[in-house]
Amino acid sequence: MAKVLMKGNEAIGEAAVLAGCRYYFGYPITPQSELPAYLAKRLPEVDGVFVQAESEVAAINMVYGAGSAGARVMTSSSSPGISLKQEGISYIAGAEVPCLIVNVMRGGPGLGNIAPAQSDYWQSTRGGGHGDYRTIVLAPNSVQEMADMTITGFDLSDRFRNPVLLLSDGVLGQMMEPVNLPEPNDYDINSKKWALGYRGNDKNERNLCSSIFLDNDELEEHNWHLYQKYQVITDLFSKGEYKDFAVEEHLCDDAEIILVGYGIISRILKTVVEKCRKRGIKAGLIRPKVLWPFPTAVFERLAKTASQFLVVEMSCGQMVEDVKLSVDGKKPVFFFGRTGGTVPSDFEILNEVDKLVRPD
Amino acid sequence: MTMKKVFSRPASLSKTPFHYCPGCDHGVIHRLVAEAIDELEVGDRTIGVAPVGCSVFAYDYFNFDFNQAAHGRAPAVATGIKRTRPDSIVFTYQGDGDLAAIGTAEIIHAANRGEKMTVIFVNNAIYGMTGGQMAPTTLIGMKTQTSPYGRDAATAGNPIKMSEMIATLESPVYVTRVTINSVANLMKAKKAIYNAFKLQKEGKGFSFVEVVAICPTNWGKKPADSHKWLTENMLPVFPLGTFKDTFGVEKSA
Ligand SMILES: Cc1ncc(C[n+]2csc(CCOP(=O)(O)OP(=O)(O)O)c2C)c(N)n1
Ligand code: SF4
Ligand SMILES: [Mg+2]
């Protein structure tokens, strides 16, 4: 297909349709509004269903229903709305129902503001809702990746019967870039034998989507089953098929200082690395593209050669904790962050690098 | 209806014995749902949504597909299911804490969207599963674990009448309140539940059946005394009757 110029939020919408998603449930919130607006127009063209729910709580539970009935289904929101969805996400994870959840992050806590932020990293990667569960978290940094990761997200969620979170921010959502869209996928709603309402000769006597296991032993067994699944996913991203997908490395081999950032920040960091190199500073970049499972192995390897790490986020420091865990005390890990909607400039970050490499 | 049908287990009901307290109405109401589904011959395409409450395990008692929803969210889950599989017969089965407290938004908006589903609402004026706390439907003066001096309207408000509220909306096509305190009323309840599913089968719209029910355990009464108490105290507050019947299903049947 030819390249088209699209906003990040719209690219997610079109990619979802191309991935065979025909069901969207959501509640209005800035800065993700272009996505539901796009799908409200687009889904009826492909006999799909768009429902504006009465709340994010209802929307995520509609997703739970549609996902358990075998649909490729999605919802989207921004930070305060994602907080409301956590109950549903916990049920969906417990019942092992696939779905895609998009968070176009804005500033918090509370109502915060509508400017871009990265302060939902903990909520996204630590479960967010109650119970021992994980969501796969993908972090695009371009409009192209918004589209690509939407499609990968649906594939991963179906394959592992697990919710997938696409974590983006207000900048990426509103940004316009050319994007290459893939060929459409004819998703068959009757492809999941476990789904409610599945019609096939091999149908089970009865299908059930549930997260209740009242008996202690049964719940323990279920939790270890989920844990095993999360281990399989972790292996796939750290050494298997998704190894290269999980992380981007840029000029790290000889780097003395490694900058670390995801999403929109990673693009600024790339400029910083280039500027550093021009000034004779051996800088490199690690960009986690998948935030859970976190690409720990890259940090373990590069902690041997680099002398320090600088993590940059649009938060007061959340992902930095995972970097520290991965570096495991072998090298110092520093942090620079801006919040409230200010995207740090390359100049500011360069200044931080200077302070670290040329202490005086 | 043949004699045989009255005494045999409906095909839609599983062989699992009910876990409900002796005399509890939940089991009888399950049976009425199963009979309606059998009579309409839609057992092979029915999907239930179980609530959080004493009937959380409702799925164990039926022979068709089920989703177990979060507390109060069953109508939203059912919306997702019905929109995905419009040829299925989708119903929620919810208590008064589930539907009239934590899930008020979900039920009102599913009803208002006119989702083509059926809701069976079991109003026993109490939170049964958690051990007898005050519900939005608890009567004035009624003592519960969390209204030990009796429900006081001045601070706890008055019993919420869900059927009346839902009947104010344009979209629902059938809203009725029944009870099972006598054989005659049981037959009426059976008919109402049948009507509600029939309307869904015909693709007509949102149907809602409130069943005023007992909770002998948390009311601290014997089952027979409970039905007497229900008749004398609950029915004046929750009058039986049909509040909305857009297609005249009761007359046509
Ligand atoms: C979010 C949440 N809050 C509270 C509970 C605890 N809880 C379980 S059942 C229930 C009340 C159920 O009462 P009702 O809906 O009237 O059903 P009944 O047991 O009377 O049939 C409550 C509050 C829960 N499971 N989840
Ligand atoms: S606690 Fe009440 S509602 Fe629950 S099973 Fe027992 S009698 Fe029925
Ligand atoms: Mg109750």
Side-chain angles (χ1 to χ4, degrees):
Chain A
M1 258 190 216
K3 277 204 172 192
V4 281
L5 197 64
M6 285 187 119
K7 273 193 180 183
N9 284 337
E10 293 170 347
I12 295 175
E14 185 55 31
V17 170
L18 293 172
C21 169
R22 293 291 178 274
Y23 302 89
Y24 175 94
F25 304 94
Y27 186 84
I29 188 168
T30 310
Q32 57 86 58
S33 300
E34 296 80 5
L35 174 49
Y38 186 87
L39 287 173
K41 258 197 186 156
R42 187 75 174 94
L43 282 172
E45 293 173 1
V46 290
D47 294 327
V49 172
F50 174 93
V51 177
Q52 179 170 323
E54 60 272 27
S55 68
E56 290 86 352
V57 176
I60 192 70
N61 281 286
M62 291 172 187
V63 167
Y64 179 28
S68 60
R72 276 202 155 177
V73 56
M74 71 178 293
T75 184
S76 65
S77 190
S78 179
S79 309
I82 297 290
S83 291
L84 276 181
K85 288 185 198 289
Q86 294 305 330
E87 174 195 43
I89 297 173
S90 168
Y91 275 71
I92 290 170
E96 294 189 88
V97 168
C99 68
L100 183 75
I101 301 148
V102 177
N103 181 1
V104 183
M105 282 184 283
R106 63 185 244 184
L111 204 49
N113 66 18
I114 59 168
Q118 293 185 321
S119 40
D120 301 346
Y121 179 92
W122 284 333
Q123 185 196 52
S124 311
T125 59
R126 296 310 191 259
H130 61 285
D132 247 340
Y133 77 90
R134 293 291 195 173
T135 50
I136 298 170
V137 185
L138 309 180
N141 82 346
S142 65
V143 175
Q144 183 65 55
E145 279 191 0
M146 296 279 248
D148 294 346
M149 286 188 175
T150 296
I151 293 164
T152 309
F154 277 113
D155 290 343
L156 287 167
S157 76
D158 275 353
R159 176 163 170 189
F160 295 107
R161 291 186 57 180
N162 208 70
V164 171
L165 204 69
L166 191 73
L167 196 63
S168 122
D169 62 69
V171 181
L172 286 169
Q174 313 285 327
M175 179 187 271
M176 261 190 142
E177 281 180 336
V179 50
N180 236 325
L181 293 165
E183 290 302 313
N185 168 351
D186 290 324
Y187 174 73
D188 175 11
I189 198 168
N190 260 315
S191 60
K192 291 164 183 162
K193 198 186 156 194
W194 53 263
L196 309 184
Y198 169 80
R199 311 267 160 76
N201 297 330
D202 55 347
K203 187 181 183 340
N204 300 324
E205 210 160 281
R206 195 198 57 170
N207 286 340
L208 174 68
C209 284
S210 168
S211 61
I212 186 172
F213 298 89
L214 215 50
D215 179 81
N216 297 13
D217 293 339
E218 276 181 27
L219 181 57
E220 179 163 38
E221 194 186 319
H222 178 63
N223 278 330
W224 286 118
H225 154 72
L226 291 178
Y227 176 85
Q228 302 262 305
K229 178 172 91 174
Y230 302 146
Q231 283 305 115
V232 170
I233 297 171
T234 303
D235 287 349
L236 205 71
F237 281 92
S238 62
K239 46 192 183 222
E241 175 184 343
Y242 284 94
K243 185 169 168 271
D244 296 330
F245 173 85
V247 61
E248 179 189 339
E249 274 180 62
H250 181 60
L251 303 178
C252 284
D253 291 345
D254 67 340
E256 279 160 15
I257 180 163
I258 292 183
L259 305 181
V260 188
Y262 71 94
I264 189 66
I265 291 291
S266 65
R267 293 172 63 146
I268 301 163
L269 294 184
K270 213 165 207 175
T271 310
V272 175
V273 166
E274 252 106 69
K275 289 192 173 167
C276 284
R277 289 275 168 176
K278 274 190 195 138
R279 294 163 59 169
I281 301 168
K282 284 185 177 167
L285 166 69
I286 298 178
R287 163 165 87 106
K289 292 165 71 181
V290 178
L291 303 180
W292 192 87
F294 194 70
T296 306
V298 182
F299 292 93
E300 286 168 355
R301 172 164 52 78
L302 291 170
K304 291 181 193 136
T305 55
S307 38
Q308 52 187 334
F309 293 82
L310 174 63
V311 182
V312 183
E313 297 176 62
M314 286 194 288
S315 78
C316 296
Q318 299 194 3
M319 182 177 71
V320 62
E321 293 191 353
D322 278 340
V323 175
K324 281 184 178 167
L325 278 170
S326 307
V327 170
D328 200 17
K330 298 204 170 59
K331 293 289 159 59
V333 175
F334 299 95
F335 175 75
F336 178 71
R338 294 296 306 267
T339 79
T342 302
V343 182
S345 68
D346 51 355
F347 179 76
E348 270 179 292
I349 301 168
L350 204 56
N351 230 353
E352 291 303 305
V353 175
D354 267 340
K355 279 193 250 168
L356 291 172
V357 294
R358 299 196 180 118
D360 44 9
Chain B
M1 207 173 58
T2 63
M3 282 298 284
K4 195 167 154 266
K5 198 115 200 195
V6 177
F7 296 104
S8 70
R9 185 170 43 79
S12 288
L13 216 53
S14 76
K15 286 181 183 153
T16 312
F18 292 128
H19 70 276
Y20 299 111
C21 306
C24 176
D25 281 347
H26 273 307
V28 181
I29 301 165
H30 284 6
R31 195 186 168 93
L32 297 182
V33 169
E35 285 174 359
I37 285 168
D38 284 1
E39 283 163 33
L40 289 162
E41 298 177 333
V42 291
D44 58 342
R45 57 184 173 110
T46 296
I47 302 174
V49 183
V52 173
C54 281
S55 47
V56 63
F57 292 121
Y59 57 79
D60 269 341
Y61 309 124
F62 294 99
N63 278 331
F64 35 74
D65 291 358
F66 248 93
N67 176 298
Q68 201 293 307
H71 198 18
R73 317 297 178 220
V77 171
T79 297
I81 296 172
K82 184 73 185 194
R83 295 295 187 111
T84 303
R85 301 216 180 244
D87 55 346
S88 294
I89 300 296
V90 178
F91 76 97
T92 70
Y93 184 103
Q94 304 176 256
D96 41 49
D98 197 78
L99 183 142
I102 194 165
T104 323
E106 284 78 7
I107 189 63
I108 294 288
H109 289 277
N112 194 47
R113 284 190 305 269
E115 297 295 341
K116 293 180 178 57
M117 59 168 78
T118 299
V119 173
I120 306 297
F121 168 42
V122 180
N123 174 7
N124 57 12
I126 204 148
Y127 284 27
M129 191 192 210
T130 38
Q133 294 82 14
M134 183 178 72
T137 45
T138 293
L139 304 186
I140 297 301
M142 191 172 157
K143 287 184 178 159
T144 71
Q145 203 184 76
T146 50
S147 59
Y149 306 108
R151 181 176 185 168
D152 178 3
T155 52
N158 287 283
I160 286 189
K161 300 173 186 185
M162 289 309 295
S163 290
E164 285 87 336
M165 266 170 78
I166 287 170
T168 65
L169 305 170
E170 300 273 329
S171 309
V173 297
Y174 188 52
V175 182
T176 189
R177 182 185 284 128
V178 296
T179 193
I180 53 173
N181 62 346
S182 66
V183 176
N185 278 336
L186 179 77
M187 294 321 284
K188 279 189 196 157
K190 180 179 157 69
K191 191 74 203 164
I193 291 172
Y194 174 87
N195 287 340
F197 279 103
K198 180 168 177 274
L199 284 163
Q200 184 180 171
K201 187 183 174 188
E202 292 167 357
K204 293 279 171 45
F206 182 90
S207 53
F208 184 91
V209 181
E210 172 173 349
V211 186
V212 182
I214 59 169
C215 173
T217 301
N218 288 301
W219 290 2
K221 293 180 170 64
K222 293 195 185 89
D225 296 342
S226 296
H227 275 128
K228 186 166 179 283
W229 190 87
L230 174 150
T231 308
E232 287 166 4
N233 298 280
M234 280 187 80
L235 296 188
V237 179
F238 300 109
L240 304 181
T242 295
F243 301 91
K244 200 150 192 255
D245 183 4
T246 310
F247 293 97
V249 68
E250 290 188 348
K251 284 190 198 82
S252 69

